[in-house]
């Protein structure tokens, strides 16, 4: 899809490869070998596994294309570090990743170096365009795992009675007061989906037309303070606000607040990557499920935006993707300034293929399409999304009950 | 939504009330008191419960509107026969309906008579339009439960080692050979949703415009013979054909054929409401989940239709809804003759509200909206759907793993 | 083991057969077809199933001995009504007995008549001694199921929101005040186990010597009033009183009182076979698990008796087994008058084979021996035990967490 | 119970303290920080946790007795490292020990040093006899955890696809052929239980008389070769050999061989602490449950010994407890030479208190008594039991389905 000169492309990708790979190691650096082992629930993977799996991606999908004689670093790593690619063969059960003490962090570092060296040789030689596209996919894949690594380690540390911090915070708490405004749209035929300029995942294609009725999108995210009002108005105990499956989740799991919140001395505290701290009311609410987001919207009498609505507004804004990775969402006083860098935003309707969607052939075709059921799309990006990784057409997705992603919400209304 | 004269409407509804209520009792007639007790899985309700619950609907939502002094037949029945209406109060746990031996079938019959008598008085007096609309809703509600009653008792009887028949069959087995043809559509803007003429559930509203790309819809259902080809080609053992959650269901439940099928002497038998019999290859395949339907479509290289696609084609056909309730799907040799009366047809994409959807206020507002997550829509109707109950805009829905509805599929393709 | 004349024995057994079989039908008589269907938890069997299973015992183990051409009433009943005899072949899963609506109560009655007729013919002809012993075993087996039938239907009815009574009560509530006294024993070598005079189950054999240290056995059962003191002293919230597995059961199941008790208006009510009524303090406490009984004994500073201790005292008392089947335990003001007819009494130590125990050969050898792990013995008898069914050497047994048997306790102490 | 001079006793204990504590660290030495983190099933604890918990025992039960001002190393460690002592307060859930990455192995080493230093001060001062007894208990407690550490890490490593070895083996495989002989006993009154000379756990007391009938005890353990015969004779597929709960475990878990065995190329391999190796037929069979042991005994027509039988024979043998910790059971060609050092031996009958048993007062009273239900006793010792830790009166115990202990069996028979 790109028409750039292959050598230039290869050279740019090589630099980007170095940066992305180093960033993964930087993210793991504050964590002890023990921290990197833990799988605190089936959805979570150990840090060490993320470091190995992203390496396995290049070893499996890229290196053999260039060097037919390439022999894997270790014969069992294909089994250990495959995530869900059925076409590649059997794999270690997902919910038992926390049991694998060996390879240890040292051997995983060796694995990364080994593959990085082989990749350096690949960049030195002339690669075909499809190989370079797979390298690019591998880098975006690794960026996704950088975010997962942070989501996962936050959950891991939250399970420790010591409530350890991932990193000390050097920032004072922000407290910005934002009035809610609305970005209006007249409706009609619009175009959405990836244009083909720059990288996009297969689920962003094809670009296609859609029909909208007039609507408005909130110019800022829902805040913790607003969420507390919802809670105090009985939000978690009024079934009429909830989807049926959502109400079941409230009762089965005994939910009464977002994930990581806890009551203390009449107030609320929240566990963050900087450790435990009081909830700041002006911050965007985070770690709520689709069910919670929908119930909140119901409570306000408004609704969640559809994917299309969100995208047509976002596409008009120059996404300010700098300064991300601040690890905890903060308020932004610019109109629509919080579209991309604070919390992912749940959208109405389920994750479905775009009209005419075709999965890529082969194993990488398992990347997105096979998850298009029982999931809901989140748009935007979060304070743990790597710089430059997201865009207006990006479709993140999780099961509607998931809460460990940095997920919040932005309201919409019919006009 | 109807502008018919209130007295005429009341009189027509009264006749219809009598017919629908009697039909429920006719459906229960072949079943012993013991048969009517069984809850063979949490999704299934006992026959007796269906008879009570549909009665409770009129007692709770209709009778008190006309007669403020109406006192319920039994003080505990509100608890026992409420299905899921949170606004009405607490209720007996759904998965424990099979434990309630009392009221027995006799007392449930008394309950029905009692409410029918009160309803007769209501029809004799002048009712307001909204009350009559609730009566109408109650009748459509009872028809839905007539189909559920048959789905449920089929599952109940299938769990009995004696494999008893619900009713003896007087029909020979049909074996019709049908070539597959296609109904073509040029795409563009279309209108879908209920027009407001005649009854419709809230989830069929509002009628709205949608955008289509050119497509074609198969003019007949997928057959058992075709399904056997799929099975013999490894359909249930090739992960690349399946959605990820679907593949998990195959492995967790050990699926290798549609529900109610069993291998015998190298062939396949199927349990029906007429007892056990050999699979007939020309019959429409039935009791497959959304996951199975999607995997089959994947295998053919085609796809499932969207709701919109299905509806714009079906709306052009005069639905032939006569002759239903034949209890087992049969082939139909008319082009598109099997749209409504054989099996419900899974559609692509999840169950979502139409743009501008608003749930009805009050408890009946819990009818549809709160289920709009984690479900997929089925269109058409089935051989167990009561006469006159379905239409082109009707949106039936189940979880994608459900198999006990009379669910099959019809293919679509891009043009 | 008996030396009675075979013809006399056969004639006595025939009369007893008639009585026992009729008594089962009498117990089922107050129950509707629906009542007889319900399996309210996996441990519970439907009434109808008890009626069929006890019949199947004679059909399977007795009739073919006399008449090699005997053909079973129905080919599938062997599958449906086998409880746990592995040697007989496969069987319907225990936890799905409540799903079998057919055979209905009528057909089960026919089954009973059919087998009774065949048994009458057997009594008319000359039977060998071993056959008569199997008849005798079958009658004791049926009596055990008479008690199970009452235990089970009590649980079934307790799950119904209407709290229906099994039978109306014609008795006023007793309130007898009993001081606690002690039956002393000097210890030393004693003999326990069945002597061989009269019927005994295999687990009561062989009679053998045992060694005792001096002890005393309470001359009456622990009462509801005493249990309330235990509860009010924090009995259910003090881990130091409980066995580790018992404490886990308290927390997992949220136990705070015996089964069937419920708080109301500051007092306690209990569900009985006569319906719901206030707890009477002087009545023996009932429906407590081994864990609860042990915690109570711990709380008093005393202990539960061992089997041996219980038996050597009980064997000295002429067991007053008349007047049983009063359906709810009552106080008895005679010293040790409540050994046999009120509640089964948990004993310390686990259910083990006696030294030299040998299971009977063949399928009936599965009667007792294979359960000799993870169970505890209860001695005595209960208000639902059939007349003449129990004795001082009788070893009843349940898992230590079971509470649906009529199980209570009597204290012991070292002297 | 000991009458040794306090100063001598203190001095001896100090030396022993140093030895035992160092041995724990030696056992952990071959394991990486990651290895020491893993909890591969709820029964297993991480190595790191064992190191901390045994330290917590001294910090909690010993140090405050001597120094009322002793302040714990870390305020949260009491929560993290308490195993099951309810009297001490709340504790981290047992099945989540694998989630605690911090404290890491380094901090745990610091914790151990800190407590060892405080203990050295304690030994320097004059301690009362009860304090010294608690030190002694703490050392025996730590030895038990040394064995648990090895059992647990074996399970952990067995879950790793790389099948890593805990330690390389320098020994050739032994293959000794042993005929089975019998140690005979005439029965009669015997004395069992701890005499009070030397250390004993509370569950070994009081010494008491018991009555035996004549019996014989096998002079060697059941071997892997004999177990293979059992398997080849359908041992795992013949229900008549099994206790009912045992047969359920076979079916639910799909058992067909001892834990850690796997089929390969027509033979059997076994995972050991030396890695994976072929099964050696003359070795004692290990890692079988009580159910399996009982089924095997049933198959031979013999039986398991009772605790009393085992003890009266063993007490006559000078236990050869040297040379243990060889990490894998081996054959011993001396008569009864394998009583103590190869595998723990399941005994018949359940774990019960001895007549007159009293638990110690206070928190350490939770040591043994509260587990006296649903467990079976194993006698002897194993190749992973620390030197000098076991004796003829020692009562080890596990749930009858447990297989991760080094558990085997020795047969007995009536004479």
């Amino acid at each position: 899809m790109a028409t750039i000169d292959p050598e230039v492309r290869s050279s740019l990708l090589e630099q980007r490869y170095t940066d992305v790979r180093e960033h993964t190691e930087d993210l793991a650096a504050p964590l002890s070998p023990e921290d990197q082992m833990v799988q605190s629930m089936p959805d979570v993977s150990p840090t060490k596994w993320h470091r190995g799996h992203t390496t396995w991606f290049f070893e499996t999908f890229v290196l053999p294309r260039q060097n037919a004689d390439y022999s894997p670093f270790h014969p069992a790593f294909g089994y250990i570090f495959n995530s869900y690619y059925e076409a590649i063969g059997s794999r270690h059960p997902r919910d038992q990743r926390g049991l694998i003490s060996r390879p240890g962090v040292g051997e995983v570092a060796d694995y990364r170096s080994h593959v990085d060296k082989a990749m350096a040789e690949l960049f030195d030689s002339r690669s075909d365009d499809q190989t370079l596209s797979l390298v690019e996919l591998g880098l975006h894949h690794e960026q996704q795992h950088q975010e997962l690594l942070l989501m996962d380690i936050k959950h891991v540390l939250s399970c420790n009675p010591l409530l350890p911090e991932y990193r000390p915070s050097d920032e004072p708490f922000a407290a910005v007061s934002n009035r809610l405004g609305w970005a209006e749209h007249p409706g009609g035929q619009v175009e959405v989906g990836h244009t083909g300029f720059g990288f996009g995942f297969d689920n962003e294609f094809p670009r296609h037309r859609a029909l909208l009725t007039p609507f408005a999108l909130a110019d800022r995210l829902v805040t913790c303070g607003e969420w507390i009002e919802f809670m105090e108005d009985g939000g978690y105990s009024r079934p009429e606000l909830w989807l049926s499956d959502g109400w079941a989740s409230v009762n089965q799991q005994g939910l009464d607040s977002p994930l990581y919140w806890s009551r203390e001395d009449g107030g609320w505290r929240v566990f963050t990557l900087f450790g435990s701290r009081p909830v700041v009311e002006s911050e965007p609410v985070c770690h709520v499920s689709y069910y919670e987001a929908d119930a909140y919207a119901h409570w306000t009498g408004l609704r969640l935006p559809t994917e299309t609505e969100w995208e047509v507004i976002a596409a008009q804004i120059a996404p300010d993707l700098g300064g991300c990775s601040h690890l905890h969402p903060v308020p932004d006083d610019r109109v629509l300034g919080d579209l991309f860098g604070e919390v992912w935003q749940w959208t109405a309707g389920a994750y479905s293929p775009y009209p005419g969607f075709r999965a890529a052939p082969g194993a990488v075709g398992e990347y997105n399409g096979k998850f298009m059921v029982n999931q809901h799309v989140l748009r935007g990006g979060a304070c743990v999304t790597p710089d430059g990784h997201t865009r207006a057409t990006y479709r993140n997705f999780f099961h509607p009950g998931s809460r460990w992603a940095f997920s919040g919400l932005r309201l919409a209304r019919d006009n």
Side-chain angles (χ1 to χ4, degrees), chain A residues 2 6 17 19 25 70 75 83 88 102 112 150 175 201 205 212 219 222 242 266 296-297 305 377 399 401 412:
Chain A
Y17 180 89
D19 293 346
E25 296 300 88
Y70 177 79
S83 54
I88 299 301
R102 307 185 193 184
R112 291 184 67 90
L150 289 169
F201 286 111
F205 294 90
L212 289 178
D219 68 355
V222 170
W242 294 78
Y296 178 87
V377 174
H399 283 102

Side-chain angles (χ1 to χ4, degrees), chain A residues 138-189:
Chain A
L139 292 175
H140 286 276
H141 171 259
E142 183 144 350
Q143 287 190 307
Q144 291 184 313
H145 279 275
Q146 288 168 354
E147 177 162 350
L148 285 166
L149 184 159
L150 289 169
M151 284 162 56
D152 290 356
I153 201 67
K154 180 171 181 177
H155 192 268
V156 164
L157 296 176
S158 80
C159 293
N160 191 310
L162 306 176
L163 291 181
E165 60 190 30
Y166 165 72
R167 230 175 54 191
S169 171
D170 48 0
E171 294 170 59
F173 297 166
V176 177
S177 174
N178 268 355
R179 262 194 346 123
L180 180 65
W182 295 93
E184 318 268 345
H185 192 283
Q189 278 203 22

